[in-house]
Amino acid sequence: MIKALRGMKDILDPKFLKIFDTAREVAENYGYEYIETPILEETALFKRSVGEASDIVNKEMYQFMDKGGNDVCLRPEGTAGVVRSFIEHKFDRQQSPKRFWYFGPMFRYERPQKGRFREFHQFGIESFGTSSIYEDINIISMAADIFERLGIDYTLKINSLGCPECMPKYRDNLVEFLNKHKENLCEDCQRRIEQNPIRTLDCKNENCQAILKDAPKITDNLCESCQSDFETLKKGLDNLGIKYEVDKNLVRGLDYYTKTTFEFVSNEIGAQSAIAGGGRYDRLVEFLGGKPTPGVGFAIGIERIMDLVKEDKKRSGIYMGALIEEAIPYIQKHARGVRKEQKVFVEPNVKSLKAHLKAADKGNYKTALIVGEDELKKGDFFIKEL
Ligand code: HAM
């Protein structure tokens, strides 16, 4: 028997669509437009944006040569493609803000476990053209609204990674610290000292964690402007009643971030607890060849929140069933009219009254309309509220 690939699964849960509808409605209420970008892109796009040294690019890409000899890759995340599209359509030259939402599959060749898949779905948003810290607050508020509407409890963690003014100085300090402890760090962290020292801060290795507890933190070394923005961010979240924790080790797994980074985590879903992540990427558009344009966004992991969404137990819609075959065309005709207003299911097989009512109950319908010989003669229905 042929089975789905490891780490990939069929979606059979109606909560998936409920999440889609909720996220879409909230994004549209915030003034965002829909964008759909290709699932396959040039590998170079992800190498340049997510970062050559990141785990995603280094270890997890579904990368191959296509029949035309192009080096391509199934997208591991959504931001890179949206930025590529933003530049390709010359929105960077218009110098006016542009805001997009998207929903679709992403692919990472990770070791599958609970909450971690090789194909998973993200709802994401990207806001271009505004460097105001109040936009960061706007988008965090949007994510919080989506979770609140879905009845999901979360902890929000925030941090700032600084800007080209404060980051390089901090980086030098950190590298100095790491070199002093190099021998006691894990292999990955030793490699990171050269390639991406900031990523050592969220290493899961216990030994590294113990050493890095004393490492300098970027949040304590921000320049005046980054520091002031970070204070405004905290005040802005307080103002909206959105609770947060400052996590000085929150550095995220993608290289394009500057300034604000954040993650929403849930303590109800096990080790893979991040249900959304995002931040500011003011240099990415320029880095990918566009005119310098600030950007900020986030993505929610749909599979991670599926189990957290409460099931909709409310009955809805109408079940129509026939006791004799001649009644089927009669109910089909009525159903077409009623469907303009609400959900109607027509059972295509003749059944007994008891069997129809049982099926209507199982299908969670609100009302059953049954037609037998008498009802057909009178042009009537037997109605049962369930
Ligand atoms: P990310 O943190 O890599 O950020 O992914 C966002 C969310 O996708 C995670 O918080 C998690 O819920 C979910 N996720 C990631 N990997 C997996 C996996 N293997 N299986 C299941 N769920 C997963 C990004 O992708 C950025 N593009 C977010 C962003 C948008 N930043 C700015 N704009």
Side-chain angles (χ1 to χ4, degrees):
M1 193 177 72
I2 298 174
K3 291 188 176 170
L5 294 172
R6 198 161 120 79
M8 305 202 173
K9 61 175 192 172
D10 305 310
I11 293 159
L12 299 160
D13 189 335
K15 281 189 275 180
F16 187 83
L17 271 188
K18 181 177 169 174
I19 297 168
F20 178 94
D21 290 342
T22 306
R24 172 190 179 163
E25 195 180 313
V26 173
E28 285 178 352
N29 287 355
Y30 273 77
Y32 278 64
E33 302 168 51
Y34 180 62
I35 185 170
E36 171 112 25
T37 62
I39 287 164
L40 208 56
E41 298 264 10
E42 259 185 60
T43 300
L45 173 67
F46 302 109
K47 283 195 173 165
R48 267 204 260 163
S49 55
V50 176
E52 202 111 32
S54 67
D55 281 354
I56 294 179
V57 168
N58 236 326
K59 305 180 186 162
E60 299 166 5
M61 296 243 275
Y62 274 91
Q63 183 186 352
F64 59 95
M65 302 301 277
D66 72 7
K67 290 196 170 75
N70 305 298
D71 187 352
V72 295
C73 180
L74 293 179
R75 62 182 185 195
E77 59 103 50
T79 310
V82 176
V83 172
R84 194 249 333 117
S85 169
F86 178 81
I87 299 168
E88 195 168 331
H89 292 95
K90 302 188 174 54
F91 292 129
D92 55 330
R93 312 228 182 120
Q94 293 173 8
Q95 294 295 303
S96 55
K98 223 41 198 152
R99 298 183 175 90
F100 298 109
W101 69 272
Y102 52 89
F103 195 110
M106 309 292 160
F107 301 84
R108 296 182 192 175
Y109 198 82
E110 295 191 78
R111 203 159 44 80
Q113 64 177 79
K114 187 170 184 291
R116 194 205 271 155
F117 303 96
R118 289 182 173 168
E119 180 183 23
F120 60 97
H121 294 75
Q122 285 185 347
F123 162 81
I125 65 107
E126 311 296 346
S127 162
F128 295 99
T130 160
S131 55
S132 163
I133 186 69
Y134 291 101
E135 185 69 344
D136 306 32
I137 300 167
N138 277 337
I139 72 158
I140 292 176
S141 151
M142 187 194 314
D145 282 358
I146 294 171
F147 291 138
E148 275 159 36
R149 279 212 204 184
L150 292 169
I152 294 174
D153 290 332
Y154 59 78
T155 303
L156 167 63
K157 297 185 171 181
I158 59 168
N159 194 19
S160 173
L161 294 183
C163 67
E165 197 182 315
C166 43
M167 180 44 108
K169 229 186 307 165
Y170 164 72
R171 203 183 141 110
D172 290 347
N173 287 343
L174 180 64
V175 169
E176 199 184 309
F177 173 90
L178 294 171
N179 274 326
K180 266 192 225 151
H181 297 86
K182 190 167 178 178
E183 266 137 56
N184 299 318
L185 295 172
C186 73
E187 247 174 62
D188 272 346
C189 282
Q190 291 190 3
R191 185 173 44 82
R192 285 175 186 137
I193 298 179
E194 297 277 304
Q195 293 183 337
N196 199 354
I198 317 298
R199 286 285 291 157
T200 55
L201 293 176
D202 74 345
C203 179
K204 303 287 178 283
N205 182 304
E206 274 176 29
N207 215 15
C208 295
Q209 272 178 6
I211 296 168
L212 287 157
K213 232 177 39 237
D214 302 322
K217 300 286 150 56
I218 175 69
T219 332
D220 302 325
N221 291 278
L222 296 172
C223 64
E224 218 172 285
S225 147
C226 287
Q227 184 62 46
S228 143
D229 272 355
F230 197 51
E231 292 310 316
T232 308
L233 173 70
K234 290 190 274 185
K235 278 197 204 119
L237 294 174
D238 289 338
N239 174 47
L240 297 179
I242 298 172
K243 293 203 179 67
Y244 58 84
E245 289 170 9
V246 174
D247 179 351
K248 293 181 182 179
N249 289 332
L250 181 68
V251 294
R252 311 265 304 124
L254 308 99
D255 286 358
Y256 47 64
Y257 293 112
T258 49
K259 293 196 165 188
T260 309
T261 53
F262 59 89
E263 256 174 30
F264 287 80
V265 298
S266 161
N267 56 17
E268 292 171 44
I269 54 172
Q272 300 305 315
S273 61
I275 53 175
R280 190 161 267 290
Y281 48 86
D282 287 346
R283 304 214 290 160
L284 184 57
V285 175
E286 186 183 4
F287 201 63
L288 289 176
K291 275 181 85 166
T293 310
V296 62
F298 70 79
I300 298 176
I302 305 306
E303 282 77 0
R304 297 224 179 133
I305 61 170
M306 292 268 267
D307 291 342
L308 299 173
V309 177
K310 313 281 171 291
E311 219 165 319
D312 234 339
K313 285 268 186 310
K314 238 175 61 195
R315 292 183 173 276
S316 69
I318 298 175
Y319 173 104
M320 289 192 185
L323 303 178
I324 52 169
E325 191 178 336
E326 300 78 68
I328 295 179
Y330 170 80
I331 59 173
Q332 280 184 324
K333 197 163 170 189
H334 275 278
R336 283 196 89 192
V338 183
R339 257 189 214 116
K340 289 184 185 128
E341 307 278 321
Q342 60 170 314
K343 176 169 89 177
V344 182
F345 171 74
V346 171
E347 169 53 54
N349 295 303
V350 169
K351 287 184 181 181
S352 70
L353 178 63
K354 200 174 151 201
H356 277 310
L357 293 181
K358 203 170 152 194
D361 182 47
K362 203 170 160 214
N364 216 23
Y365 291 96
K366 192 161 176 273
T367 311
L369 297 184
I370 312 298
V371 179
E373 207 175 329
D374 280 359
E375 289 81 11
L376 187 62
K377 258 191 222 146
K378 290 189 214 144
D380 204 357
F381 288 94
F382 168 77
I383 302 175
K384 171 95 181 164
E385 295 299 339
L386 295 158

